[in-house]
Amino acid sequence: GAVVSQHPSWVICKSGTSVKIECRSLDFQATTMFWYRQFPKQSLMLMATSNEGSKATYEQGVEKDKFLINHASLTLSTLTVTSAHPEDSSFYICSANNRDSGNTIYFGEGSWLTVV
Amino acid sequence: QKEVEQNSGPLSVPEGAIASLNCTYSDRGSQSFFWYRQYSGKSPELIMFIYSNGDKEDGRFTAQLNKASQYVSLLIRDSQPSDSATYLCACSDNYGQNFVFGPGTRLSVLP
């Protein structure tokens, strides 16, 4: 199946700093990628839809100035959590739409963010 | 608003039994349907997808789709403790837009 790689898998950062998470589609081009956040024992929460070459579409309640998304190429989208706060500690997951495979969504491995 | 509903569970089945996971969706425009499995602390992984009414089998998994009833199900035969996970149902239109996930059903297979 299609492979989506996410990096880093784990990151610890200090409050007030920024951290960048990368999402790459390794064997297909993804014009659309998605960013989710998931707290323990809770459902996936869609944060934003990232479209190659255009601005991301954010879900209601998600601060676009805090969660910066860049989708500069057909294989890479990045999520930058700015001015991180302990409340931002969560599991962040990206996914990518593989149009060559019936628009199937494939997920990255996820990134655990801990803000101390 | 487009919705996908699943029973949150937990659904408990004994080892070797058939686990039946159900999902309903509200958008009649949905054309593609997916089942994902998510282990605790891990990201979801695709199990299978189905586009046409009827059954689709892949190993121990069978997806069933009934568009008239807006109903999708996943059967897991010969359930194993390693199948214990949360199962997510998802729907989208033909263009991969309007991709909506259900909240997931937690399955527990008891040894």
Side-chain angles (χ1 to χ4, degrees), chain B residues 30-75:
Chain B
S30 296
Q31 297 294 324
S32 305
F33 306 88
F34 307 86
W35 283 100
Y36 293 83
R37 175 176 61 196
Q38 185 177 24
Y39 291 111
S40 180
K42 302 292 185 181
S43 68
E45 56 180 330
L46 180 68
I47 298 174
M48 62 192 304
F49 54 81
I50 186 169
Y51 304 137
S52 304
N53 277 326
D55 295 359
K56 179 181 179 182
E57 186 174 320
D58 184 359
R60 294 187 296 114
F61 299 99
T62 299
Q64 299 175 319
L65 173 61
N66 184 325
K67 290 185 179 180
S69 301
Q70 297 176 241
Y71 176 89
V72 191
S73 66
L74 179 70
L75 301 178

Side-chain angles (χ1 to χ4, degrees), chain B residues 9-110:
Chain B
L11 172 66
S12 296
V13 299
E15 184 174 357
I18 296 175
S20 178
L21 303 161
N22 304 315
C23 170
T24 59
Y25 59 95
S26 64
D27 182 14
R28 285 197 172 274
S30 296
Q31 297 294 324
S32 305
F33 306 88
F34 307 86
W35 283 100
Y36 293 83
R37 175 176 61 196
Q38 185 177 24
Y39 291 111
S40 180
K42 302 292 185 181
S43 68
E45 56 180 330
L46 180 68
I47 298 174
M48 62 192 304
F49 54 81
I50 186 169
Y51 304 137
S52 304
N53 277 326
D55 295 359
K56 179 181 179 182
E57 186 174 320
D58 184 359
R60 294 187 296 114
F61 299 99
T62 299
Q64 299 175 319
L65 173 61
N66 184 325
K67 290 185 179 180
S69 301
Q70 297 176 241
Y71 176 89
V72 191
S73 66
L74 179 70
L75 301 178
I76 307 175
R77 289 182 299 281
D78 188 23
S79 296
Q80 302 297 310
S82 59
D83 294 326
S84 298
T86 296
Y87 289 80
L88 303 170
C89 170
C91 311
S92 76
D93 59 25
N94 270 340
Y95 306 99
Q97 302 299 314
N98 302 311
F99 206 99
V100 182
F101 280 93
T105 297
R106 191 155 54 93
L107 172 67
S108 178
V109 180
L110 307 175

Side-chain angles (χ1 to χ4, degrees), chain A residues 38-92:
Chain A
Q38 188 175 37
F39 294 106
K41 297 186 178 181
Q42 294 190 20
S43 303
L44 288 171
M45 186 193 81
L46 178 65
M47 299 175 66
T49 301
S50 171
N51 300 297
E52 188 268 336
S54 64
K55 292 183 179 180
T57 304
Y58 289 82
E59 296 299 303
Q60 191 172 6
V62 178
E63 300 175 58
K64 60 182 179 182
D65 293 331
K66 179 168 182 62
F67 298 100
L68 301 178
I69 291 173
N70 184 283
H71 193 158
S73 78
L74 288 171
T75 59
L76 173 64
S77 176
T78 61
L79 168 69
T80 301
V81 182
T82 63
S83 300
H85 190 273
E87 293 175 350
D88 298 326
S89 299
S90 184
F91 189 41
Y92 292 86

